[in-house]
Amino acid sequence: MSATDNQPGNEDDQPGNEKKQPGDDRMWKGWLTGGSSLLEEINASVRFDHRLVQQDIDGSIAHARMLATCKVLSAGEATEIVDGLERIRAEVDAGEFVFDPALEDVHMNVEARLRELIGPVAGRLHTARSRNDQVAVDARMWVRDAIDRLDALLAEVIEVVSERAEAHHADVMPGFTHLQCAQPVTIGHHLLAYGEMFLRDRDRLRCARRRLDESPLGAAALAGTGYPIDPRESARSLGFTGITRNSIDAVSDRDFMLDYLSAGATLAVHISRLGEELVVWSTPQFGFITLPEDLCAGSSIMPQKRNPDLPELMRAKSGRIFGDLMSLLTVMKGLPLAYSRDMQEDKEALFDAADHLEISVRAAAAMLRGITFRTDKTKADAALGNTVATDLADWLVADRGVPFREAHSVVGGLVKWLAVQGRELDGARPAELGEFDPRFAELPPHVLTVEHAVTRRDSPGGTSPARVREAAAELRRLNSALTKENR
């Protein structure tokens, strides 16, 4: 975000820079005259980085108070600056603050307005600070806030998943591999798979938040400062647990953004997979769910349509978020240390991804809360495709002492024999199966039911109704524990 912090005539450590007068477009004006409209146009970032204004004010207040504590500023000067910054915050909150593109970025806009409000003493604020460490601390605080917002939204989604899973802990549905009928599972078990994904997403966000928890304020342009500052004080006042250990890394690091975008991209994958299943399940061909009417769209020509626009967009947003991550990776991949103006291009990708991640998670919560499962249809379909074949093979192993590989072959042959007749295991009687192999003659009929198939899978993490209820309660407990840790 820096313009030319290392240019002659613009020493970052000079107390004040009183050449700037209200109406002058270039605070960094010194031996360079500038003036090209093209430079101003390509340099200007305030149209998007104005979103850092609250963080910029907070960072500046912390910096001013620290400078006063260290006797770099007088107490009176710091009070004037802080009061002026709070007046600017009030203007921002009221929607009265006007951002001027001619002043390049949010930092210069705030500083220019501060000078209008309190006069030349405003120039003292930039003592021992560069726009390089200024934007670095602003961005870290913004990402920290974005992580907290997203984490809270995810906690809500996981709670919804837990509630729906518990409600459907015993309702049977088909389980798929390769999108082919595999084995019966319960609806609750299937939903809990997403709960585990979202729980891991929360953990990734927490890891990203932990790694960014260092304040770069005090690194100045890249080499630190000769003023007797105490960056730990400003770090504490801004909510950081520590400070960065290398001033070059402090101003050139955007790993904290990449961590957030990377965690967000993985989250977007999970939301996209959920969106895809909601789209498929809502078709008449599947008919597993009914989508909430208020979250569907109609057709301009086909009056019967209930289009799943929301889950489709949950699916599509992932591509946009992946693109934001790739954009920032590409910007950063070849930059020499320390700061380069290329890094101005980090903000639009960051803000865009954050916006679309948050609305995608909100959409996921709304869909999970609003869908209605057609449990009669899911149960009926759970028996299609010979989904109890594995249970039949397991019965041969347990009750007839047949090695599993042989049992697998026997049941595979049985399925083929039935297919020739246009039939499946569903509805077949043990006596009929005994015609194929006498070992099936005394088969208990319940072995061929989907209820038996799900109930017997009682291993840890399995789909039995009892295990699903336990898993839903555990997911809720883990989710709550993460939330308490965040506090």
Side-chain angles (χ1 to χ4, degrees):
M1 192 72 60
S2 172
T4 45
D5 291 295
N6 59 344
Q7 290 178 355
N10 184 46
E11 296 297 326
D12 289 304
D13 294 343
Q14 291 301 316
N17 179 4
E18 298 178 9
K19 293 180 182 179
K20 166 65 183 163
Q21 299 297 327
D24 188 344
D25 288 347
R26 293 174 298 281
M27 282 196 173
W28 47 266
K29 182 178 178 182
W31 68 281
L32 290 180
T33 59
S36 168
S37 61
L38 176 59
L39 179 63
E40 290 183 3
E41 183 180 353
I42 199 169
N43 262 346
S45 60
V46 73
R47 63 183 175 82
F48 52 85
D49 71 13
H50 65 85
R51 294 179 62 164
L52 296 173
V53 65
Q54 294 290 354
Q55 289 77 18
D56 197 67
I57 292 170
D58 289 338
S60 292
I61 288 174
H63 185 66
R65 286 174 172 163
M66 180 273 293
L67 291 178
T69 300
C70 296
K71 310 300 184 184
V72 177
L73 297 185
S74 70
E77 289 172 328
T79 298
E80 270 194 88
I81 289 170
V82 170
D83 288 347
L85 289 168
E86 291 293 2
R87 288 174 63 185
I88 293 172
R89 191 196 304 278
E91 293 176 356
V92 171
D93 292 342
E96 298 170 354
F97 189 90
V98 178
F99 291 95
D100 182 0
L103 293 174
E104 292 187 15
D105 56 32
V106 62
H107 321 295
M108 290 307 191
N109 271 265
V110 170
E111 188 170 338
R113 179 57 178 153
L114 184 64
R115 187 181 292 269
E116 291 174 356
L117 291 173
I118 67 173
V121 72
R124 301 280 288 166
L125 173 60
H126 208 54
T127 304
R129 186 177 73 169
S130 162
R131 273 192 292 176
N132 294 353
D133 62 339
Q134 185 178 0
V135 70
V137 75
D138 291 358
R140 281 180 185 248
M141 288 191 289
W142 196 95
V143 172
R144 184 177 63 188
D145 292 343
I147 287 174
D148 290 346
R149 290 194 305 271
L150 190 58
D151 183 64
L153 290 172
L154 272 174
E156 179 185 346
V157 172
I158 295 172
E159 183 63 25
V160 175
V161 168
S162 301
E163 292 173 0
R164 298 304 306 263
E166 192 168 29
H168 293 286
H169 71 280
D171 291 321
V172 183
M173 69 173 287
F176 300 93
T177 61
H178 308 275
L179 203 56
Q180 303 296 314
C181 297
Q183 294 174 336
V185 296
T186 63
I187 293 172
H189 191 57
H190 193 105
L191 290 175
L192 286 172
Y194 285 105
E196 294 295 330
M197 296 180 210
F198 294 141
L199 196 67
R200 290 194 298 272
D201 290 321
R202 289 196 70 188
D203 187 60
R204 289 186 189 91
L205 288 170
R206 287 168 52 79
C207 288
R209 195 186 195 282
R210 175 179 56 79
R211 282 192 291 270
L212 69 74
D213 198 18
E214 297 174 342
S215 172
L217 198 57
L222 80 160
T225 178
Y227 285 93
I229 64 171
D230 182 4
R232 286 181 175 81
E233 179 189 328
S234 53
R236 282 192 298 270
S237 66
L238 293 172
F240 292 101
T241 59
I243 61 173
T244 52
R245 292 177 296 278
N246 182 281
S247 59
I248 294 177
D249 179 59
V251 298
S252 58
D253 168 44
R254 292 300 182 268
D255 288 0
F256 62 94
M257 290 187 187
L258 291 172
D259 283 348
Y260 170 68
L261 292 178
S262 179
T266 303
L267 168 58
V269 170
H270 299 154
I271 293 174
S272 179
R273 295 180 75 178
L274 174 61
E276 167 69 5
E277 293 206 310
L278 295 176
V279 170
V280 172
W281 289 353
S282 66
T283 62
Q285 288 73 21
F286 270 74
F288 288 179
I289 61 172
T290 300
L291 296 174
E293 189 172 325
D294 62 330
L295 297 178
C296 294
S299 164
S300 64
I301 188 172
M302 295 169 283
Q304 86 284 5
K305 294 296 294 295
R306 181 185 286 197
N307 292 330
D309 286 31
L310 195 63
E312 287 174 341
L313 289 170
M314 288 165 54
R315 187 175 60 189
K317 294 291 185 185
S318 60
R320 184 165 185 158
I321 294 161
F322 300 163
D324 290 328
L325 172 60
M326 187 55 63
S327 175
L328 184 54
L329 285 168
T330 305
V331 166
M332 297 300 298
K333 72 175 181 64
L335 294 186
L337 298 177
Y339 182 89
S340 297
R341 193 58 183 255
D342 310 51
M343 293 164 71
Q344 176 176 290
E345 295 300 309
D346 59 2
K347 308 299 180 303
E348 288 182 284
L350 171 66
F351 298 149
D352 184 74
D355 289 344
H356 291 281
L357 279 167
E358 289 175 26
I359 199 168
S360 294
V361 176
R362 288 169 50 208
M367 292 305 300
L368 287 167
R369 190 180 289 111
I371 57 176
T372 301
F373 283 96
R374 297 180 56 195
T375 54
D376 55 339
K377 182 65 162 61
T378 61
K379 180 180 177 180
D381 281 16
L384 300 178
N386 300 291
T387 56
V388 296
T390 306
D391 302 273
L392 187 55
D394 287 344
W395 180 82
L396 285 175
V397 173
D399 285 70
R400 292 294 182 262
V402 179
F404 182 79
R405 285 302 177 196
E406 181 183 345
H408 184 284
S409 178
V410 170
V411 174
L414 173 61
V415 168
K416 188 172 183 179
W417 180 70
L418 288 170
V420 171
Q421 305 171 49
R423 303 169 60 200
E424 292 189 350
L425 288 171
D426 181 39
R429 290 176 288 121
E432 295 174 308
L433 302 187
E435 298 175 14
F436 176 79
D437 190 308
R439 287 174 289 189
F440 290 127
E442 297 179 9
L443 175 74
H446 71 268
V447 173
L448 297 178
T449 65
V450 293
E451 291 86 356
H452 171 73
V454 298
T455 301
R456 68 182 290 266
R457 286 178 167 79
D458 198 40
S459 57
T463 193
S464 74
R467 291 292 188 181
V468 171
R469 294 191 75 171
E470 290 176 2
E474 179 65 2
L475 179 64
R476 181 178 284 115
R477 185 192 70 79
L478 292 171
N479 190 44
S480 177
L482 280 180
T483 299
K484 288 178 182 176
E485 285 180 23
N486 286 347
R487 293 172 184 164

